[in-house]
Short mmCIF file of all heavy atoms in Angstrom, two decimals:
data_model
loop_
_atom_site.label_atom_id
_atom_site.label_comp_id
_atom_site.label_asym_id
_atom_site.label_seq_id
_atom_site.Cartn_x
_atom_site.Cartn_y
_atom_site.Cartn_z
N ILE E 136 20.35 -6.57 32.57
CA ILE E 136 21.68 -6.55 33.19
C ILE E 136 22.37 -7.91 33.10
O ILE E 136 23.60 -7.99 32.91
CB ILE E 136 21.58 -6.07 34.65
CG1 ILE E 136 22.97 -5.75 35.22
CG2 ILE E 136 20.84 -7.09 35.53
CD1 ILE E 136 22.91 -5.01 36.54
N ALA E 137 21.61 -9.00 33.21
CA ALA E 137 22.21 -10.33 33.09
C ALA E 137 22.61 -10.63 31.65
O ALA E 137 23.66 -11.25 31.41
CB ALA E 137 21.25 -11.40 33.62
N TYR E 138 21.78 -10.20 30.71
CA TYR E 138 22.09 -10.47 29.30
C TYR E 138 23.38 -9.78 28.89
O TYR E 138 24.26 -10.38 28.27
CB TYR E 138 20.95 -10.00 28.40
CG TYR E 138 19.58 -10.51 28.78
CD1 TYR E 138 18.46 -9.67 28.71
CD2 TYR E 138 19.38 -11.81 29.23
CE1 TYR E 138 17.20 -10.12 29.06
CE2 TYR E 138 18.13 -12.27 29.58
CZ TYR E 138 17.03 -11.42 29.50
OH TYR E 138 15.79 -11.86 29.86
N ILE E 139 23.52 -8.49 29.23
CA ILE E 139 24.71 -7.77 28.79
C ILE E 139 25.94 -8.20 29.59
O ILE E 139 27.07 -8.05 29.12
CB ILE E 139 24.51 -6.24 28.83
CG1 ILE E 139 24.41 -5.71 30.25
CG2 ILE E 139 23.28 -5.86 28.02
CD1 ILE E 139 24.37 -4.18 30.31
N ALA E 140 25.71 -8.75 30.79
CA ALA E 140 26.84 -9.23 31.59
C ALA E 140 27.57 -10.37 30.87
O ALA E 140 28.80 -10.40 30.81
CB ALA E 140 26.37 -9.70 32.96
N LEU E 141 26.80 -11.32 30.32
CA LEU E 141 27.42 -12.47 29.65
C LEU E 141 28.14 -12.11 28.36
O LEU E 141 29.05 -12.82 27.95
CB LEU E 141 26.35 -13.53 29.35
CG LEU E 141 25.85 -14.39 30.49
CD1 LEU E 141 25.11 -15.60 29.94
CD2 LEU E 141 26.99 -14.86 31.39
N THR E 142 27.73 -11.03 27.73
CA THR E 142 28.32 -10.68 26.43
C THR E 142 29.66 -9.97 26.54
O THR E 142 30.31 -9.74 25.52
CB THR E 142 27.37 -9.77 25.62
OG1 THR E 142 27.27 -8.50 26.29
CG2 THR E 142 26.00 -10.39 25.47
N GLY E 143 30.05 -9.58 27.75
CA GLY E 143 31.27 -8.80 27.92
C GLY E 143 31.04 -7.32 27.86
O GLY E 143 31.93 -6.52 28.20
N THR E 144 29.85 -6.91 27.42
CA THR E 144 29.56 -5.48 27.25
C THR E 144 29.50 -4.76 28.59
O THR E 144 30.06 -3.67 28.75
CB THR E 144 28.24 -5.30 26.49
OG1 THR E 144 28.28 -6.11 25.31
CG2 THR E 144 28.04 -3.85 26.09
N LEU E 145 28.81 -5.34 29.56
CA LEU E 145 28.71 -4.69 30.87
C LEU E 145 30.09 -4.53 31.50
O LEU E 145 30.39 -3.49 32.11
CB LEU E 145 27.79 -5.50 31.80
CG LEU E 145 27.61 -4.95 33.22
CD1 LEU E 145 26.99 -3.56 33.19
CD2 LEU E 145 26.74 -5.90 34.05
N GLY E 146 30.94 -5.53 31.33
CA GLY E 146 32.27 -5.49 31.92
C GLY E 146 33.15 -4.40 31.35
O GLY E 146 34.19 -4.06 31.94
N MET E 147 32.78 -3.83 30.21
CA MET E 147 33.55 -2.75 29.59
C MET E 147 33.28 -1.40 30.24
O MET E 147 34.06 -0.46 30.08
CB MET E 147 33.17 -2.61 28.10
CG MET E 147 33.59 -3.74 27.20
SD MET E 147 32.78 -3.57 25.58
CE MET E 147 33.10 -1.85 25.20
N ILE E 148 32.15 -1.27 30.93
CA ILE E 148 31.64 0.04 31.32
C ILE E 148 31.93 0.33 32.78
O ILE E 148 31.53 -0.44 33.67
CB ILE E 148 30.12 0.13 31.06
CG1 ILE E 148 29.80 -0.24 29.60
CG2 ILE E 148 29.59 1.51 31.39
CD1 ILE E 148 28.33 -0.39 29.31
N GLY E 149 32.59 1.44 33.05
CA GLY E 149 32.86 1.84 34.43
C GLY E 149 34.32 2.16 34.66
O GLY E 149 35.17 2.01 33.78
N ALA E 150 34.60 2.61 35.88
CA ALA E 150 35.95 3.01 36.23
C ALA E 150 36.78 1.80 36.65
O ALA E 150 36.24 0.84 37.21
CB ALA E 150 35.91 4.04 37.37
N PRO E 151 38.08 1.83 36.42
CA PRO E 151 38.94 0.72 36.85
C PRO E 151 38.93 0.60 38.38
O PRO E 151 38.89 1.59 39.09
CB PRO E 151 40.32 1.12 36.34
CG PRO E 151 40.26 2.60 36.16
CD PRO E 151 38.86 2.92 35.78
N GLY E 152 38.91 -0.63 38.85
CA GLY E 152 38.91 -0.85 40.28
C GLY E 152 37.57 -0.70 40.94
O GLY E 152 37.44 -0.83 42.16
N GLU E 153 36.53 -0.40 40.16
CA GLU E 153 35.18 -0.27 40.67
C GLU E 153 34.26 -1.25 39.94
O GLU E 153 34.59 -1.71 38.84
CB GLU E 153 34.66 1.16 40.49
CG GLU E 153 35.44 2.19 41.29
CD GLU E 153 34.87 3.59 41.13
OE1 GLU E 153 33.78 3.71 40.54
OE2 GLU E 153 35.52 4.54 41.59
N PRO E 154 33.11 -1.58 40.53
CA PRO E 154 32.18 -2.48 39.84
C PRO E 154 31.72 -1.88 38.51
O PRO E 154 31.72 -0.65 38.35
CB PRO E 154 31.00 -2.59 40.82
CG PRO E 154 31.56 -2.22 42.15
CD PRO E 154 32.63 -1.21 41.87
N PRO E 155 31.36 -2.69 37.54
CA PRO E 155 30.83 -2.16 36.28
C PRO E 155 29.66 -1.22 36.51
O PRO E 155 28.85 -1.44 37.42
CB PRO E 155 30.40 -3.43 35.52
CG PRO E 155 31.22 -4.52 36.11
CD PRO E 155 31.39 -4.16 37.56
N ALA E 156 29.58 -0.17 35.70
CA ALA E 156 28.49 0.80 35.81
C ALA E 156 27.28 0.29 35.02
O ALA E 156 27.43 -0.22 33.91
CB ALA E 156 28.94 2.15 35.27
N VAL E 157 26.11 0.43 35.60
CA VAL E 157 24.88 -0.08 34.97
C VAL E 157 24.28 0.99 34.06
O VAL E 157 23.86 2.04 34.54
CB VAL E 157 23.86 -0.50 36.04
CG1 VAL E 157 22.60 -1.05 35.39
CG2 VAL E 157 24.47 -1.54 36.99
N PRO E 158 24.22 0.75 32.75
CA PRO E 158 23.72 1.77 31.80
C PRO E 158 22.20 1.74 31.64
O PRO E 158 21.68 1.66 30.52
CB PRO E 158 24.43 1.38 30.50
CG PRO E 158 24.54 -0.11 30.59
CD PRO E 158 24.74 -0.43 32.05
N ALA E 159 21.48 1.81 32.80
CA ALA E 159 20.02 1.64 32.78
C ALA E 159 19.71 0.36 32.00
O ALA E 159 20.44 -0.62 32.12
CB ALA E 159 19.33 2.87 32.20
#
Side-chain angles (χ1 to χ4, degrees):
I136 192 168
Y138 308 140
I139 69 174
L141 284 196
T142 67
T144 310
L145 179 60
M147 292 169 48
I148 306 171
E153 296 182 9
V157 181

